[in-house]
Amino acid sequence: MPEIATTPFPDQKPGTSGLRKKVGVFRQPHYAENFVQSVFDVVDAPAGATLVVGGDGRFHNRTVIQVAIRMAAANGFGRVVVGRDGILSTPAASHLIRKRRAFGGLILSASHNPGGPDGDFGIKYNVANGGPAPEKITDAIFACACEIDRYRIAEAGDVDLGSLGEQRVGDLVIEVVDPVADYAALMEQLFDFDAIRAMIAGGFRLSFDAMHAVTGPYAHEILENRLGAPAGSVVNGTPLEDFGGHHPDPNLVHARELYERMMAADAPDFGAASDGDGDRNLIIGRGMFVTPSDSLAALAANATCAPGYAAGLKGIARSMPTSQAADRVAATLGVPLHETPTGWKFFGNLLDAGMATICGEESAGTGSDHVREKDGLWAVLLWLNILAVRKLPVAELMAEHWRTYGRTYYARHDYEAIATEGADALMADLRARLATLPGEMVAGLTVEAADEFAYTDPTDGSVSSRQGVRIRFKGGSRIVVRLSGTGTEGATLRVYLERSEPTEGQLDFATEDALAPLVAAAETILAIRAHTGREAADVVT
Ligand code: G1P
Ligand code: ZN
């Protein structure tokens, strides 16, 4: 097979979500090829293996898919399963890898980052369980990318990605599949579609914002065609290469229109959005935003409403910066609660080992053992199933939840694209002071404990250290501080603020008021202004 000589790109270090760079970086000659070859060299698939390929439809998606197909042919794969038009949401790709017993998959996405010629692009490799490659594989891929000197690629024309069915490049069979069908069938197995259909037929109104990203076709098919939501319930449902010029990030800043629709007098009963590649979710009830941490807790508390979870949960897992709301649910249900580092891959081992059923992150990622990625539409459907069974508006369901479990007020403050030196200095200063913080009184709060989170994976004993600083106050409130692993410009500082109120405490504060003392404490302890030069956070979610 033809081999092309190349030189390494030593910047190809995959982060928690694969390799993410500006499109311009990916368009350099040999750039994507080097990364894909490094993946193939490391994973060393047996001849004839199956590879799943698909992406979120962003600019450059089809180009890289054609390259990946020609390289799969030259590297001995037997079959590539690819979504029509190169489309596969991340959870649908995870499901397809599992269902087709593929050796692995390439997912082309930069998640919620903007797209288009000046936007971001990304490549992620998922392994046979459907989840992101573990760190030992991504480390090996990086090592390989630093010394690669050739890649293999078949000489062939473009595959027709628009036609379902099989085509060939040399000995490789390329199978173009409907990106939605298998995923929709899985959702029908997990959820009570009849109950949701009846609720919608009874006048329940929903609004789903696909943000011009990958979930459009999935939401049209599942919510409108199968569940009977009227046409127009799905908005921005056509995937665009540049997401219409927006950040496909389902938070209160970038999904502002949805938020405003849900706060209006004639708001629908339920609002939701998903991100670029379909793994995140935003949930808003009429007149009420549900924080992702609260959503995880409420979904876990009510999961048995859905047929797929009727047998109960084996455990709940949350990332460390996610609020402790789910911990109270786990305690009441009598199931284990696992606190993991940020990034979905840490949940995969727990799910594989049967130690957890539902997982979630504060960054709007929720999912379960049905796939090995977080899953935006899955969360939407579980919410709908619960509402259909409990027959309560979202706001009442949450009020009842807080009366039962207590309330955790929560916000994340992001300082984006700050200078790396300032960000590193802030973290270094903080680490140096950790031992002296306990006992200090800051903005009326007393520090009870301060440490840097490290995680030992209970399934394989692997250790991940330096996963973010936790500052705990008397009464259970917390500040968590870490630097983002997914930004593509400078550094992003994330400060997570959390205040716990017991069942008999203050359950109806406005979040901003509830968190004001923690905001003040964060500035005093971290000196954010001095280190970043920023007066306030760029994004509060
Ligand atoms: C962010 C989120 C994290 C998520 C990751 C991938 O990572 O905070 O929860 O798993 O994106 O979607 P971060 O930029 O914080 O490293
Ligand atoms: Zn995503």
Side-chain angles (χ1 to χ4, degrees), residues 271-289:
S274 190
D275 71 330
D277 62 329
D279 57 358
R280 295 186 176 203
N281 71 88
L282 169 70
I283 303 294
I284 313 181
R286 181 193 296 136
M288 204 194 111
F289 160 62

Side-chain angles (χ1 to χ4, degrees), residues 174-192:
I174 296 109
E175 184 184 344
V176 179
V177 299
D178 177 336
V180 177
D182 288 317
Y183 177 82
L186 175 65
M187 294 300 115
E188 291 221 32
Q189 272 171 33
L190 296 174
F191 302 116
D192 187 345

Side-chain angles (χ1 to χ4, degrees), residues 20 90 109 111-112 275-280 374:
R20 266 190 214 170
T90 293
S109 170
S111 189
H112 50 288
D275 71 330
D277 62 329
D279 57 358
R280 295 186 176 203
K374 55 197 173 214

Side-chain angles (χ1 to χ4, degrees), residues 16-17 20 111-112 275 279-280 319 322 342-345 361-365 374 412 482-487 492 494 496:
T16 48
S17 313
R20 266 190 214 170
S111 189
H112 50 288
D275 71 330
D279 57 358
R280 295 186 176 203
S319 69
T322 303
T342 294
W344 201 261
K345 60 188 174 195
E361 295 190 284
E362 50 64 41
S363 52
K374 55 197 173 214
R412 183 176 99 182
R482 57 180 284 280
L483 298 182
S484 157
T486 61
T492 294
R494 302 204 196 283
Y496 310 78

Side-chain angles (χ1 to χ4, degrees), residues 95 153 510:
H95 177 52
I153 186 160

Side-chain angles (χ1 to χ4, degrees), residues 352-370:
D352 281 348
M355 296 171 72
T357 304
I358 284 193
C359 317
E361 295 190 284
E362 50 64 41
S363 52
T366 334
S368 87
D369 55 3
H370 67 293

